[in-house]
Each structure stands twice: as structure tokens, then as C-alpha cells.
Amino acid sequence: GSPRSWHGKIMAAEQKGGIIELDAKLPEGMEAFDNPRRKATRFPDNPEDIDAYVNNIPLFSKARPSKDKQGDAWKMVEAIEANQDPKVKATELKNNGNECFKAGPKRWKDAITFYTQAIDEECGDARLDSVCLSNRALIHMKQKNYGKCIDDCKLAIEKNPRNPKAYLRAGQASWELGKRKEAMRWYEWTLKRAGDDFLKKNYVVNLIKKSERILEEDRKKAEEKRRRKVLKEKAEDILANAIKLRDVQITGETLNGEYKPKLDDKGCIHWPVLFMYPEFLQTDFIQDFHELRTFKDQLSLMFPPKGSSPPWDKKGAYRLSELEVFVEVKSKTAHSVRKVGIEDALAGGLTTKGNIVAGVPTFMVLSKASQYFANNFLKTHKVLS
């Protein structure tokens, strides 16, 4: 008999004073339990032992205990199972897996265990094995274990090449892995094996159409990305040539850094520029400095003739009329600089002899009215003519 029928017989047995009497002959292999006066297990007094006690009751157990910890009830179940037809047992295990799957994500691990046990029965029914494998694949996919899902689908197809769900789930998992073309092939194979089931066919046809739309969108996005890359490379080449024509010496960092010069539609270059005020260790960053704009015009925005001095210029020495601009140049002498005319355009400052623009062009701004200029800067820097 099945475990359920024997459970009914056990529950129907008389229970008197803690003694259970079985009124039926046990099946072959269960003679060890044929004791008419078996003592019932006492319910534990210690709360910590309750889980172990309940786990030894098959109907309430969350997991089968190991051999050395199995009570009589579990030994009875195993003896019954030993006499059970493998196909019947595999089917029951599959059904248990289905129930666990329907119960939600918290029981998916148990569902995988049941499906695996059903497969391990090797019941000889290829279709049943294929269903268990494709069901286990579904859980792998929902857990985002796409590789395991595809592996199980392939095994399911080996067992039963006419299992449409195996093809479908392999396609869905491949799609999630970004293997779009491979997924489409799986979908096409699914359609061929959907048989006369209109709903299945309709679902797969709609899935293929949706996938084709996504693939077309991806193709257009990739084409647009490629086009923009080509345009960007051309623009960079044009910019590099424009800088070269102006005799501005640059390093690779100038065109590859976070802030880069840009060429406008009139062929003029707009540069990012950094002004440094060494006396106060302050800086001003200009993101867009037109190459034809003069230093005076740009500095007048920071030091307006009738405006107040910046907060760090407590003595008010940094007035537009007193400002001097210098750029550090490459020379055998350390700290070599050249003066840049304040009336000069940025283009002239960039082409100052010995100036190499490494990244963002940088210029030092000082005031002739400040004692720092004569007493410190001129003494620590070599001003070249």
C-alpha cells in the first residue's frame, strides 16, 4: 500500500495508555515494526527538542532526517517506498515539486529537491523525466540562474525532443543572457513543436514578433551609436588638425581629458582655461574661452573696473589695470615663464614660445601692485623674453 493508506491504518489503530496496537499486517520488508505493543514517543518537555521531534513525523517534517536520526515512522516510510513502483514514486515526487512551486519562492528550493529526486528515480519514463527537467529549468530561470536553466532544457530535450516548454524556456534564458539570435532559434523550434495547440502557437508567435521588434530597435541603436562614433572620430580629427594649423603644442591628455577644446560651426576653437593666482593659491576655471577673445576681456568679467575685489584680495591690489599674465614654458631653467600680453587673444597666449598645453591650458595671473609680485614671484621664477 501507499504511505497514505498505511498512515490511515496507523491513525485507526487503538491507542490506550500510551500503547498503539496495529490491526493490520505490515507489508514485506516491515517485519521489524510488527510489534503489537510499541510505546508511543513522549512529547518533549524541552522546547529546544520540539523541532527534532516534529521532524521525525513524516507528515510534518520539513526535511528527511539522516539515517542515524530516523525514528520508526521514517523507517516505516522508507520501507514502504522500497516496495513502491519507481514510476509511481517519481510521479508523486514531481507532483510534490509542482505544489512547492505553486506555493511561491520560499518553497522553490524544496521544489528543485523533489524534481531532482524524481529524476534520480530513473523510472524509465522519458517523458516524465523530461517534464521534471523542464520544470526544474523554470525555477532556475526565475532565480536568474540562466545557464542552469539552459542545461536542464537541453537534458529535457534529449529525453523528449517534443517537449515544447523545454525549447521555450531555453529561448527565454538565452534572451536574458543577451544571446538574442540563439534565443530566436529556440523560439522557432518551439513553434515547430507546439503541435495543434492554438494558445501555445499564438503565444510563441507573439513572443517571436515582440523579440523581432526588440532586435530591430537594438539594431537601430547600434547603428546610431556607430554613426555617432564615426562622427565623433571625424570631429576629433578635424579639431586636432585645426589645433595643429595654429601651431599650438599639446599632449594627448588635451584631447582625451574630461574638459576638451571644441570646434564651433565657424571653425573657431573654444578652450577650457584655468587661471591661477599663486599669491593666494586660488583658481578660476573658464569652461568656454573663445580663442579670439582677449585676456583683458575675460579677466574684466572677474575683476570689473568698478566692481569690488574678490574676497581673497583683502588689500584690493588685483585691479584689472594692474594685472599681469604669465605662462609656464619648457626650458632648461626651472620655473621658467613668459609674459603674455593682456591685450592678446587667447590664441596668442597658447602659441607662446615653449608653451606645451598638457590637459587644460593654464595661465598665472598676478598684480604689479602687490608686494608678492616683486618680492616673491619674480625672485622664484625665471621670466624669459
Side-chain angles (χ1 to χ4, degrees), residues 243-266:
I243 293 173
K244 187 176 180 180
L245 288 172
R246 288 161 171 76
D247 290 328
V248 178
Q249 303 297 312
I250 64 171
T251 65
E253 187 181 356
T254 304
L255 297 179
N256 298 318
E258 182 178 358
Y259 299 101
K260 310 170 190 177
K262 297 177 182 178
L263 198 65
D264 64 22
D265 54 3
K266 294 181 180 180

Side-chain angles (χ1 to χ4, degrees), residues 302-358:
M302 284 92 83
F303 304 95
K306 295 182 180 180
S308 57
S309 300
W312 41 263
D313 181 21
K314 302 296 184 183
K315 297 181 180 180
Y318 280 68
R319 298 182 299 276
L320 184 61
S321 59
E322 301 293 338
L323 297 182
E324 296 274 7
V325 180
F326 294 86
V327 63
E328 192 165 3
V329 296
K330 186 177 181 180
S331 174
K332 294 180 180 179
T333 307
H335 304 297
S336 296
V337 297
R338 277 197 168 91
K339 183 179 177 181
V340 178
I342 198 169
E343 299 283 354
D344 290 349
L346 173 62
L350 293 171
T351 55
T352 300
K353 184 179 179 181
N355 178 30
I356 298 177
V357 179

Side-chain angles (χ1 to χ4, degrees), residues 194-236:
D196 297 327
D197 191 324
F198 172 77
L199 292 178
K200 284 183 181 178
K201 276 189 173 181
N202 194 46
Y203 174 79
V204 178
V205 167
N206 289 333
L207 182 61
I208 290 175
K209 287 181 179 179
K210 180 182 177 182
S211 301
E212 286 175 342
R213 286 197 300 271
I214 294 174
L215 285 173
E216 179 61 19
E217 290 173 3
D218 289 347
R219 187 193 66 77
K220 288 180 179 179
K221 288 179 182 178
E223 178 62 26
E224 178 63 18
K225 185 177 180 181
R226 188 195 67 78
R227 188 184 68 82
R228 289 184 179 181
K229 183 181 179 182
V230 170
L231 290 175
K232 182 182 177 183
E233 290 174 349
K234 287 183 178 179
E236 289 176 350

Side-chain angles (χ1 to χ4, degrees), residues 103-154:
K106 291 183 178 180
R107 296 297 308 278
W108 285 351
K109 184 178 180 181
D110 295 331
I112 288 177
T113 300
F114 280 122
Y115 291 138
T116 302
Q117 289 175 350
I119 297 163
D120 291 343
E121 281 297 314
E122 298 181 356
C123 66
D125 188 329
R127 288 191 176 185
L128 178 58
D129 287 344
S130 181
V131 170
C132 291
L133 284 161
S134 59
N135 286 358
R136 191 171 70 178
L138 176 60
I139 299 177
H140 285 319
M141 183 167 65
K142 287 186 174 293
Q143 293 177 330
K144 299 184 178 181
N145 295 324
Y146 303 119
K148 288 184 177 181
C149 173
I150 295 171
D151 289 342
D152 270 357
C153 288
K154 289 179 179 178

Side-chain angles (χ1 to χ4, degrees), residues 83-99:
N83 293 309
Q84 192 175 18
D85 179 76
K87 184 176 178 180
V88 173
K89 185 178 179 182
T91 301
E92 288 183 359
L93 289 167
K94 182 207 74 173
N95 293 338
N96 289 340
N98 292 348
E99 292 300 319

Side-chain angles (χ1 to χ4, degrees), residues 277-288:
Y277 310 100
E279 180 176 356
F280 300 99
L281 301 178
Q282 297 288 329
T283 60
D284 275 322
F285 177 68
I286 295 86
Q287 194 166 342
D288 188 332

